[in-house]
């Protein structure tokens, strides 16, 4: 069922019987049967060879890296030949369809839930995370509207931010989510709007309130903060903070210091990573919890999905954000990716796809085939590291110029991206589940229902894991890979995903909804929530995938983990100078004045 799709129109067979045009049909007496036999044998042999070659190309089983690379290239060639290439005008039309989808979602939100943090399109209502909301949906969408040229919608949203958005509220907010969505959204809007002060004023107000989360003995921030008082609030997991959350605020805080000239945001954010740098890791891989009281990692779960993912993403992006002036982040990233390659990579049956599994630090040899959709960020991130944001081309930046390590990382990025695409293609709906368990051996699928494991599929979707929240990570990597390679297959894959979203997630009365279970197309039930990242990330990356490549060039911008583009800059010397005490005295002085 899941053999790779036929990439051509087939091979015409000569009519071997009753064909008046067959040159062998009029052979001299005594040679006719022999000639016809040779003709049949030759054609059958050729057909069998072609079929065998196509099977090998489309179903790789070798574990040899070079062979896999060749087979991947053959698969790509088949995929490129399957359709007539689209013209630039046709890709522009697809871009406009993504824009129309955003407008469809935005208009419904505006009608039913204006000013609310979250939108529930089926029940046509909005809800807030705290009493009066913190602008989740509106602020998260600002730069998407600017990119799409939705001027009226942007001006209305800007007026709401200016007149209605108020952070002086009695409520606790998550440091990470508020930073990446709200602070990141405000900073990106500030840059893309030509430095409109409305957004910077709000960003400074918010960041000053978030600073209270860093008032811990270790410098590792609490998970949340009380907005009105600026008091840090310990996390719900026994007071622990999440590793990815405390290490995914640096792009935003450092850029804010750069544009304001106030280094306090830079110092507290930088101190977190410098503290983590000195902790014990497993070949650069870190547990998913960290204790803000002791400053030590907690537990031994290691994964690149929830609670771990963006720690790795922000290492390489911090290096690029400051124009490669801080090599420590590249060194930490390379160390971690070496750990990924040593401990977390597995292969599937029957298609030999590459996946990233999960382990425990205490038993790293036991690789779990569980993979969150969140892990799909890694394909684009590894390609970004190899290229440093530049587009490959045959003259000024050929792929042959890669170092051995850069080529290895880029190839792994390609394979992860393909596996993430297969998470969509191999389902009945064309939508991916939140979590899959990749099939490493036949014993895994014994006794499984066809709903859990479709025959021929490379993964299992357990009953509790089939939901889809319209996440962006797969299309994010497709966008990066398209920008770096120019291989149209990434655009085609993105279009397939967009079509599935349109078919199954679109709510007739307006908006788009998450889905409870995507495994069967006759059992689609909306979960009545349109996540803000659908507007901020998923549709933005799809739009950019089909847009001209000079929009937000990747050697000029880094995207935060909520897809808010922030400009690359050269920091002044005072920001790059780290105090000899590791920054602790400077941090303490900064926080004392808050």
């Amino acid at each position: 069922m899941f053999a790779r799709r036929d990439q051509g129109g087939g091979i015409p067979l000569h009519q071997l019987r009753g064909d008046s045009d067959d040159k062998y049909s009029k052979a001299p007496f005594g040679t006719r049967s022999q000639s016809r036999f040779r003709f049949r044998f030759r054609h059958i042999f050729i057909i069998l060879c072609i079929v065998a070659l196509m099977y090998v190309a489309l179903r790789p089983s070798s574990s040899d890296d070079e062979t896999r690379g060749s087979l991947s290239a053959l698969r790509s060639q088949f995929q490129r030949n399957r359709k007539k290439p689209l013209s630039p005008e046709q890709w522009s039309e697809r871009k406009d369809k993504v824009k129309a989808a955003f407008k469809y979602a935005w208009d419904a939100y505006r009608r039913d839930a204006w000013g609310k943090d979250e939108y529930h399109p089926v029940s046509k209502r909005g809800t807030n995370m705290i009493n009066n909301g913190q602008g989740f949906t509106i602020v998260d969408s600002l730069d998407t509207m600017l990119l799409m040229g939705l001027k009226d919608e942007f001006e209305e949203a800007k007026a709401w931010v200016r007149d209605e958005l108020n952070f002086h509220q009695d409520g606790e907010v998550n440091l990470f989510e508020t930073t990446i969505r709200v602070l990141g959204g405000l900073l990106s809007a500030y840059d893309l709007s030509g430095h409109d002060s409305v957004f910077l004023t709000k960003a400074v107000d918010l960041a000053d309130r978030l600073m209270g989360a860093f008032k811990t003995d270790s410098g590792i921030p609490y998970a949340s903060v009380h907005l009105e008082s600026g008091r840090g609030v310990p996390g719900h997991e026994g007071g622990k903070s999440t590793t990815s959350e405390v290490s995914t605020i640096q792009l935003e805080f450092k850029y804010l210091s750069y544009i304001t000239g106030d280094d306090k945001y830079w110092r507290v954010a930088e101190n977190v990573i410098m503290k983590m740098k000195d902790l014990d890791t497993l070949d650069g891989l870190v547990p998913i919890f960290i204790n803000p009281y002791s400053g030590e990692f907690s537990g031994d779960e290691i994964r690149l999905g929830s609670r771990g993912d963006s720690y790795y993403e922000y290492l390489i992006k911090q290096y690029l954000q400051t124009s490669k002036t801080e090599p420590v982040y590249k060194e930490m990233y390379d160390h971690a990716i070496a750990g990924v390659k040593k401990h977390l990579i597995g292969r599937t049956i029957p298609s030999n796809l590459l996946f990233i599994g999960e382990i425990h630090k205490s038993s790293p040899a036991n690789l779990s085939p569980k993979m969150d959709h969140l892990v799909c960020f890694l394909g684009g991130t590894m390609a970004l590291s190899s290229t440093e944001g530049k587009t490959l081309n045959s003259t000024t930046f050929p792929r042959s110029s890669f170092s051995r390590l850069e080529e290895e990382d880029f190839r792994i990025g390609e394979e992860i991206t393909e596996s993430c695409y297969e998470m969509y293609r191999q389902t009945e709906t064309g939508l991916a589940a939140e979590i899959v368990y990749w099939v490493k051996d036949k014993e895994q699928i014994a006794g499984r229902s066809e709903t859990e494991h479709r025959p021929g599929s490379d993964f299992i979707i357990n009953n509790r894991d089939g939901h889809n929240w319209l996440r962006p990570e797969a299309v994010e990597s497709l966008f990066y890979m398209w920008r770096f390679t120019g291989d149209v297959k990434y655009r085609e894959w993105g279009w397939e995903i967009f079509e599935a979203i349109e078919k199954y997630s679109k709510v007739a009365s307006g908006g788009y909804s998450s889905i409870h279970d995507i495994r069967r197309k006759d059992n689609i039930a909306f979960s009545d929530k349109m996540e803000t990242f659908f507007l901020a990330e998923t549709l933005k990356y799809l739009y950019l995938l089909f847009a001209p490549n000079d929009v937000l060039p990747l050697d000029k911008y880094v995207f935060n983990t909520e897809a808010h583009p922030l400009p690359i800059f050269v920091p002044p010397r005072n920001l790059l100078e780290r105090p000899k005490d590791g920054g602790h005295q400077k941090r303490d002085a900064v926080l004392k004045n808050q």
Side-chain angles (χ1 to χ4, degrees):
M1 180 181 295
F2 287 99
R4 304 280 179 167
R5 290 165 291 184
D6 184 16
Q7 310 299 337
I11 301 171
L13 300 178
H14 289 289
Q15 188 174 357
L16 299 181
R17 288 190 177 88
D19 186 351
S20 60
D21 293 328
D22 184 352
K23 67 179 180 179
Y24 295 106
S25 65
K26 297 180 181 180
F29 180 80
T31 65
R32 180 175 180 180
S33 297
Q34 184 178 4
S35 299
R36 181 175 294 181
F37 174 79
R38 287 197 301 268
F39 172 79
R40 290 176 175 172
F41 179 82
R42 181 167 61 250
H43 279 68
I44 291 172
F45 177 77
I46 291 171
I47 292 168
L48 289 175
C49 287
I50 291 172
V51 170
L53 285 171
M54 289 181 68
Y55 178 81
V56 170
L58 299 180
R59 290 293 185 190
S61 59
S62 171
S63 61
D64 180 80
D65 287 344
E66 292 184 3
T67 301
R68 283 198 299 270
S70 300
L71 295 176
S72 179
L74 284 171
R75 291 199 302 275
S76 297
Q77 187 63 46
F78 280 122
Q79 288 158 340
R80 282 193 293 270
N81 293 339
R82 122 175 142 252
K83 297 177 182 177
K84 181 180 178 181
L86 297 182
S87 67
E89 292 75 20
Q90 289 172 308
W91 285 116
S92 182
E93 290 174 2
R94 291 187 170 185
K95 170 181 66 71
D96 290 341
K97 288 182 179 178
V98 176
K99 177 179 177 179
F102 178 91
K103 187 74 164 57
Y104 184 81
W106 183 259
D107 287 347
Y109 165 78
R110 181 180 180 275
R111 179 194 67 205
D112 300 328
W114 181 248
K116 300 292 186 181
D117 286 338
E118 296 184 318
Y119 178 43
H120 308 276
V122 177
S123 56
K124 299 182 181 180
R125 62 188 178 88
T127 54
N128 282 329
M129 309 292 285
I130 56 176
N131 292 338
N132 298 319
Q134 53 187 319
F136 260 30
T137 295
I138 290 179
V139 177
D140 225 2
S141 303
L142 288 168
D143 55 14
T144 308
M145 289 184 278
L146 279 169
L147 285 172
M148 293 182 175
L150 295 171
K151 296 180 180 179
D152 292 342
E153 289 81 359
F154 172 77
E155 288 298 330
E156 185 177 35
K158 172 188 165 182
W160 184 89
V161 170
R162 182 189 63 230
D163 301 333
E164 302 295 333
L165 183 57
N166 180 10
F167 297 121
H168 191 70
Q169 295 188 53
D170 180 15
E172 298 174 2
V173 298
N174 179 270
L175 172 66
F176 162 75
E177 295 289 357
T178 304
T179 297
I180 66 168
R181 301 192 197 205
V182 186
L183 183 59
L186 290 169
L187 293 174
S188 180
Y190 168 76
D191 176 70
L192 295 180
S193 66
H195 296 180
D196 193 313
S197 61
V198 167
F199 304 115
L200 182 56
T201 299
K202 295 292 184 180
V204 169
D205 179 31
L206 175 60
D208 285 345
R209 297 172 187 277
L210 297 178
M211 290 284 284
F214 297 88
K215 292 182 179 180
T216 64
D217 291 338
S218 68
I220 301 299
Y222 292 119
S224 299
V225 66
H226 185 273
L227 276 181
E228 188 175 57
S229 66
R231 170 179 49 84
V233 180
H236 299 298
E237 303 282 347
K240 293 178 290 187
S241 296
T242 295
T243 300
S244 65
E245 293 189 355
V246 302
S247 58
T248 311
I249 53 180
Q250 284 67 28
L251 295 182
E252 299 81 359
F253 275 66
K254 292 170 80 172
Y255 180 58
L256 184 58
S257 278
Y258 173 70
I259 60 179
T260 62
D262 190 337
D263 73 345
K264 65 183 181 182
Y265 313 111
W266 185 295
R267 296 303 172 203
V268 296
E270 176 188 61
N271 182 62
V272 175
I273 304 299
M274 292 301 102
K275 184 79 174 181
M276 297 171 77
K277 174 179 175 291
D278 295 332
L279 299 179
D280 179 57
T281 70
L282 177 67
D283 296 311
L285 302 177
V286 297
I288 61 173
F289 288 107
I290 190 167
N291 190 316
Y293 303 102
S294 67
E296 300 289 336
F297 288 123
S298 180
D300 70 346
E301 291 180 75
I302 292 176
R303 61 175 180 250
L304 269 64
S306 62
R307 305 181 186 273
D309 49 358
S310 46
Y311 163 77
Y312 306 93
E313 175 191 358
Y314 266 38
L315 289 178
I316 189 61
K317 288 184 175 180
Q318 285 182 83
Y319 171 67
L320 296 175
Q321 181 190 37
T322 55
S323 301
K324 297 176 278 189
T325 58
E326 300 177 284
V328 62
Y329 299 117
K330 180 66 160 62
E331 293 165 6
M332 292 176 69
Y333 171 84
D334 286 341
H335 186 203
I337 293 302
V340 169
K341 289 184 280 191
K342 180 178 180 180
H343 298 290
L344 300 185
I345 286 179
R347 291 278 176 183
T348 72
I349 60 170
S351 303
N352 201 42
L353 299 173
L354 184 149
F355 70 85
I356 305 296
E358 300 181 358
I359 59 173
H360 286 80
K361 188 179 178 183
S362 57
S363 54
N366 298 325
L367 179 67
S368 166
K370 174 179 174 286
M371 188 173 117
D372 298 353
H373 186 281
L374 290 165
V375 179
C376 290
F377 84 93
L378 189 62
T381 298
M382 293 187 75
L384 176 65
S385 174
S386 293
T387 63
E388 296 184 343
K390 299 186 295 292
T391 299
L392 293 167
N393 61 72
S394 59
T395 54
T396 60
F397 188 36
R399 187 161 173 175
S400 59
S401 67
F402 278 162
S403 67
R404 181 197 60 79
L405 182 63
E406 288 168 343
E407 172 59 32
E408 182 178 74
D409 288 356
F410 195 88
R411 179 181 54 76
I412 292 173
E414 289 178 309
E415 291 203 63
I416 296 170
T417 301
E418 180 179 8
S419 298
C420 289
Y421 162 66
E422 290 294 327
M423 288 172 64
Y424 287 79
R425 191 184 74 81
Q426 292 188 19
T427 69
E428 191 171 289
T429 58
L431 292 172
E434 179 74 0
I435 298 169
V436 301
Y437 287 77
W438 296 98
V439 179
K440 297 192 297 181
D441 53 65
K442 293 181 180 179
E443 286 72 21
Q444 283 179 254
I445 58 178
R448 293 281 186 172
S449 68
E450 288 195 14
T451 302
E452 293 173 302
H453 176 258
R454 299 185 75 201
S457 173
D458 287 84
F459 51 80
I460 296 163
I461 303 175
N462 291 326
N463 293 333
R464 64 181 179 276
D465 299 329
H467 50 286
N468 177 286
W469 289 354
L470 300 171
R471 285 199 184 276
E473 291 78 21
V475 294
E476 172 186 356
S477 283
L478 294 179
F479 160 67
Y480 278 108
M481 298 308 302
W482 158 252
R483 281 287 182 92
F484 296 143
T485 68
D487 192 331
V488 73
K489 73 181 181 184
Y490 297 113
R491 279 182 152 183
E492 292 173 348
W493 292 353
W495 181 249
E496 289 176 24
I497 293 171
F498 176 70
E499 286 189 308
I501 291 172
E502 285 287 290
K503 184 173 182 179
Y504 293 107
S505 296
K506 194 171 188 176
V507 179
S509 58
Y512 294 77
S513 177
S514 302
I515 294 172
H516 282 301
D517 192 343
I518 53 82
R519 294 177 298 173
R520 291 177 53 188
K521 59 187 178 182
D522 62 353
N523 188 39
I524 297 298
F526 292 139
S527 50
D528 194 21
K529 189 175 182 182
M530 187 174 78
E531 298 284 352
T532 71
F533 53 67
F534 176 65
L535 302 176
E537 301 185 72
T538 307
L539 291 181
K540 181 185 293 157
Y541 281 128
L542 284 166
Y543 182 84
L544 290 171
L545 179 62
F546 306 135
N549 287 353
D550 59 357
V551 180
L552 296 176
L554 295 175
D555 58 350
K556 299 291 189 294
Y557 286 88
V558 290
F559 285 77
N560 87 336
T561 200
E562 189 76 5
H564 295 307
L566 301 173
I568 291 172
F569 60 89
V570 178
R573 181 175 296 180
N574 70 297
L575 292 178
L576 293 176
E577 292 175 346
R578 297 191 179 96
K580 293 182 179 180
D581 70 339
H584 301 303
Q585 293 179 6
K586 176 67 174 177
R587 176 185 63 86
D588 292 344
V590 165
L591 294 175
K592 185 176 181 180
N593 294 325
Q594 290 297 303

